[in-house]
Amino acid sequence: IAAWLAAHEGPPERIAAHWLASGQPQQAVPCLIEAGRRALRALRPAEALEALTQAADLLEAAGDRDGAFEALDLYFDHMPPAWDEPHQRLAERLATLAATPRQQGLAGQRHADLLSRAGDFAGCARVAEAALRTFEPTSAPQVAALLLQFSASGLIQAGRLEEAVHVTLRALAL
């Protein structure tokens, strides 16, 4: 049924359900990712999170930690989450899956963003500074620039304005 639905452009969440029911979970992964993307575009974050988390679970179970990281990171790319329990767990899981320096920096940037949205600028700055130590900023300049901005926000909150200016200028140079 899943193959027929796929050939006839059926809904990806339905195709995934059929692949899962037939005991072929890895066939379901691309459908779950597409279902997550569609849910994000339609501004249905709960559905997106469910589909992308399920895809990440299947990828991780198959030993594909990079794929699991990328599936979860799709959520952060499209849906700026609030700081609540589900998103905190998502940020923690992303950090756990991060294997490469780029992924570690990106996971730190996602976590810092959540802390910033929650108003915890000191925590945001700590996470950002720790993430900056995990990779060479020129290898991922956009990630590094965002991390530097988060670090600067913590410095501003601490009243260390001159340092914040220098950090901001470093971000702009990237």
Side-chain angles (χ1 to χ4, degrees):
I1 295 174
W4 186 88
L5 283 171
H8 292 87
E9 299 180 15
E13 57 278 356
R14 189 166 171 206
I15 298 168
H18 283 287
W19 283 125
L20 291 168
S22 68
Q24 299 180 61
Q26 291 309 306
Q27 296 289 339
V29 169
C31 300
L32 289 166
I33 291 172
E34 180 57 27
R37 284 188 173 126
R38 287 184 183 190
L40 286 168
R41 285 193 299 270
L43 301 176
R44 296 188 316 261
E47 289 176 39
L49 186 56
E50 183 179 337
L52 295 171
T53 299
Q54 190 173 10
D57 291 344
L58 293 170
L59 288 162
E60 189 174 15
D64 184 358
R65 291 176 58 88
D66 286 341
F69 181 94
E70 297 302 326
L72 290 179
D73 192 55
L74 279 173
Y75 186 83
F76 284 101
D77 258 352
H78 294 88
M79 189 61 57
W83 184 252
D84 58 15
E85 187 66 28
H87 293 108
Q88 182 179 354
R89 284 194 312 270
L90 184 61
E92 290 167 359
R93 182 159 181 214
L94 199 64
T96 300
L97 288 169
T100 67
R102 180 196 152 276
Q103 288 174 342
Q104 291 168 348
L106 189 55
Q109 184 260 312
R110 303 306 196 193
H111 188 186
D113 186 28
L114 286 173
L115 291 168
S116 174
R117 290 172 191 280
D120 181 359
F121 299 107
C124 169
R126 277 192 307 278
V127 167
E129 289 162 8
L132 281 164
R133 290 190 293 272
T134 66
F135 71 104
E136 173 56 44
T138 56
S139 68
Q142 287 179 317
V143 172
L146 286 169
L147 288 167
L148 287 165
Q149 289 173 348
F150 288 132
S151 177
S153 72
L155 291 168
I156 290 168
Q157 290 296 313
R160 296 163 51 193
L161 301 180
E162 192 167 319
E163 288 177 73
V165 168
H166 290 290
V167 171
T168 302
L169 291 173
R170 282 182 50 211
L172 289 171
L174 292 171

